[in-house]
Amino acid sequence: MTTKPIRGLERYYEYRERWKAIISDMEKSPVPNPALLALFRLFLENDEKTIDCAENNKPFLSSWYGNAPEIYAAMGIHYICVVDNLLAHQSFTDDLAGIDANIVPDDMCGLIKLGAYAVEKGLVPTPTGMIAMLEPCDAQSVLHESWINNDAWKDVPYFALDPAYRSGKEDFEYFVGELRRMIAFLENLTGIKLDWNRLREVIEETNKQYEIWDEYNQLRRAVPCPGGSFQGSGIGWAISQHIMAGHPGATDLFRMLLADEESRYKANKGWLEKENSRVLWADLIGTVNAPIGEWLEKEHGTVVVQDFQGYTPYSHIDTSTEESMLLGLAKRNLAEVPMIRQARGNVDVFIEDVIRIVEDYKIDCVFFPGHVGHKDQSASVGFLREACRELGVPLLVLTMDIFDPRYLPMDKFTHIVNEFFETHKLGKFK
């Protein structure tokens, strides 16, 4: 008698074995990178939890960042983001080719296309429940609709947090009510009661993580920058949003990142031997960042010093009462996590963040990726151009899909940037 395989786990077994192989190879290296090793161990641990939940009928959720994952963590409920592993393993799979055959229109965000493809093709296990996201883009609502119309997911109970439009006290208080509704949904779904003392512990651990991340970023203001392009953004984002919130291993990894950068800062050494220019990448970094960062550093002596994904305007959450914790989580998830911070409400926060980063990090030019899924931000280019003109920094407006490197191939990207840098005497033309 053969046992029917659990839908979605075949791909997760692949992920698990790949992490194990990578970790094993790194451990055998004469000079292992301790930060990457710690990161991959956290990824492996997370995938093993997903497999354990699916194999043993333990509750787990499908969710997104910005949905207060601190609450799931405090309840001991495991959670996944459907697209995380697809993005992390993109270079090892043919998923990008797979989405081309999907019914999702070509001009939609690659993240949305990957999410629809993953559930349709059974690349993720079916969760116990789904916490949907109604912000910051309309396409995410459509994605959830596609999921609940899938035969494997049609009976999955779901809940969506209704976001407030603005960022005033009354808006955060309204969102506190949404968080309480989500807690009631989760308690009813799983039979697990929220332990408020455990929530306090989780939040206090995340407070530590965001404080260390902010300290790391303060050092990046130095000229020359003591860290590399996009360094900290990818790792910090992953361990703060896509593994169990408040994991002490994530705190240790933030400390490792800080110590590494601090050693160069104290020695007055930059990441590059000669730093010509400093860039702000005004959006999330997606999966296109690694080759772009390497090329800018090697070809132009240029460092992407900051981006919206690595920017950390997080506030310390007061854990003295239940209400103060929920109010802090409402503010963190409505007004501080990237993309939701810049895309929800009016254009003011987006422009104010650009101005603050340009001034604080001594930025020489701004790259606006023009991500195909961020049409809301593309509608703000006029405001951005005016702000950059007043700041006296050149602005490069691109059109790309930050989750699909095929949209703007690397050779076209480098051609555009070379012309831009030559025109404005930046990079190797400085």
Side-chain angles (χ1 to χ4, degrees):
M1 178 178 174
T2 57
T3 304
K4 186 178 179 181
I6 298 174
R7 189 177 196 267
L9 276 194
E10 186 176 350
R11 175 60 78 89
Y12 270 69
Y13 294 145
E14 289 179 22
Y15 297 149
R16 181 178 63 184
E17 296 311 307
R18 186 172 295 124
W19 291 134
K20 285 182 177 178
I22 292 172
I23 290 168
S24 176
D25 288 346
M26 291 183 71
E27 287 173 337
K28 294 172 187 170
S29 168
V31 190
N33 183 319
L36 283 181
L37 197 52
L39 176 67
F40 295 149
R41 284 174 176 156
L42 287 172
F43 286 163
L44 172 61
E45 179 185 328
N46 209 54
D47 285 346
E48 287 180 330
K49 284 182 181 175
T50 304
I51 292 169
D52 177 49
C53 288
E55 286 183 337
N56 298 295
N57 293 318
K58 297 178 181 177
F60 73 102
L61 303 171
S62 160
S63 184
W64 297 94
Y65 76 97
N67 283 344
E70 295 88 347
I71 290 173
Y72 324 147
M75 297 177 76
I77 305 173
H78 182 62
Y79 54 93
I80 61 171
C81 176
V82 165
V83 296
D84 280 0
N85 268 317
L86 270 71
L87 297 176
H89 296 262
Q90 193 175 77
S91 60
F92 299 99
T93 71
D94 59 356
D95 290 338
L96 286 177
I99 64 175
D100 291 341
N102 209 302
I103 59 172
V104 180
D106 289 342
D107 61 346
M108 289 192 76
C109 168
L111 194 73
I112 302 301
K113 289 189 280 190
L114 282 166
Y117 169 77
V119 172
E120 182 185 333
K121 295 297 181 183
L123 304 181
V124 287
T126 306
T128 311
M130 175 169 64
I131 305 298
M133 199 173 182
L134 300 180
E135 59 178 337
C137 61
D138 295 339
Q140 267 183 303
S141 301
V142 177
L143 178 59
H144 298 136
E145 288 294 321
S146 79
W147 288 352
I148 62 176
N149 281 289
N150 178 276
D151 284 344
W153 283 50
K154 63 182 180 183
D155 296 323
V156 175
Y158 66 94
F159 178 88
L161 290 156
D162 181 33
Y165 182 72
R166 298 185 183 279
S167 298
K169 185 171 181 288
E170 66 277 16
D171 301 296
F172 298 140
E173 288 173 344
Y174 170 78
F175 202 64
V176 167
E178 290 298 290
L179 294 177
R180 288 193 181 279
R181 288 178 60 228
M182 184 180 78
I183 292 168
F185 168 81
L186 292 173
E187 290 181 338
N188 184 58
L189 176 71
T190 65
I192 302 170
K193 293 291 182 185
L194 173 62
D195 180 338
W196 290 93
N197 287 325
R198 177 60 188 144
L199 180 61
R200 180 172 293 107
E201 292 173 355
V202 170
I203 292 175
E204 287 177 350
E205 194 68 25
T206 61
N207 278 341
K208 282 185 213 169
Q209 293 169 2
Y210 288 130
E211 287 167 8
I212 299 168
W213 197 358
D214 182 59
E215 194 175 346
Y216 166 91
N217 273 338
Q218 297 305 316
L219 298 180
R220 295 181 70 82
R221 296 185 182 196
V223 180
C225 182
S229 295
F230 303 112
Q231 196 182 59
S233 305
I235 294 177
W237 172 256
I239 62 177
S240 64
Q241 296 295 334
H242 297 305
I243 64 167
M244 189 67 87
H247 194 306
T251 313
D252 292 339
L253 183 45
F254 273 119
R255 289 194 181 100
M256 292 167 71
L257 290 173
L258 173 61
D260 177 65
E261 195 172 65
E262 197 171 42
S263 65
R264 278 186 293 277
Y265 174 79
K266 288 181 175 177
N268 197 28
K269 291 177 64 176
W271 178 257
L272 301 178
E273 190 172 333
K274 182 174 185 290
E275 179 182 283
N276 294 324
S277 301
R278 300 160 66 87
V279 172
L280 162 62
W281 182 272
D283 206 332
L284 303 181
I285 65 175
T287 55
V288 300
N289 61 302
I292 286 175
E294 290 171 10
W295 178 78
L296 284 170
E297 290 176 359
K298 185 176 180 182
E299 181 69 19
H300 285 288
T302 292
V303 178
V304 180
V305 177
Q306 194 53 278
D307 55 76
F308 283 173
Q309 191 166 309
Y311 192 45
T312 53
Y314 298 103
S315 305
H316 182 89
I317 293 181
D318 174 5
T319 59
S320 58
T321 67
E322 294 179 8
E323 192 65 19
S324 71
M325 288 192 282
L326 291 182
L327 196 60
L329 287 176
K331 185 179 181 185
R332 176 181 288 179
N333 289 277
L334 263 186
E336 296 177 350
V337 293
M339 195 166 87
I340 294 174
R341 171 180 172 83
Q342 288 93 11
R344 186 183 57 86
N346 57 37
V347 71
D348 292 358
V349 174
F350 172 71
I351 297 301
E352 287 167 6
D353 279 354
V354 169
I355 293 172
R356 180 177 292 272
I357 295 171
V358 166
E359 292 180 341
D360 288 350
Y361 290 82
K362 303 173 184 64
I363 298 295
D364 295 309
C365 62
V366 176
F367 283 10
F368 178 70
H371 173 52
V372 64
H374 292 172
K375 295 178 177 63
D376 56 313
Q377 290 186 359
S378 294
S380 306
V381 167
F383 295 99
L384 178 60
R385 184 173 288 114
E386 185 177 342
C388 287
R389 190 179 294 124
E390 290 181 2
L391 288 163
V393 295
L395 168 67
L396 175 61
V397 178
L398 300 156
T399 303
M400 64 195 321
D401 186 331
I402 58 174
F403 302 104
D404 185 349
R406 302 171 305 171
Y407 197 97
L408 179 62
M410 195 64 188
D411 60 333
K412 291 186 178 177
F413 173 85
T414 57
H415 177 74
I416 293 169
V417 173
N418 280 334
E419 286 194 336
F420 174 76
F421 275 6
E422 186 171 13
T423 300
H424 294 283
K425 307 301 178 193
L426 294 165
K428 68 181 181 183
F429 303 106
K430 191 172 182 180

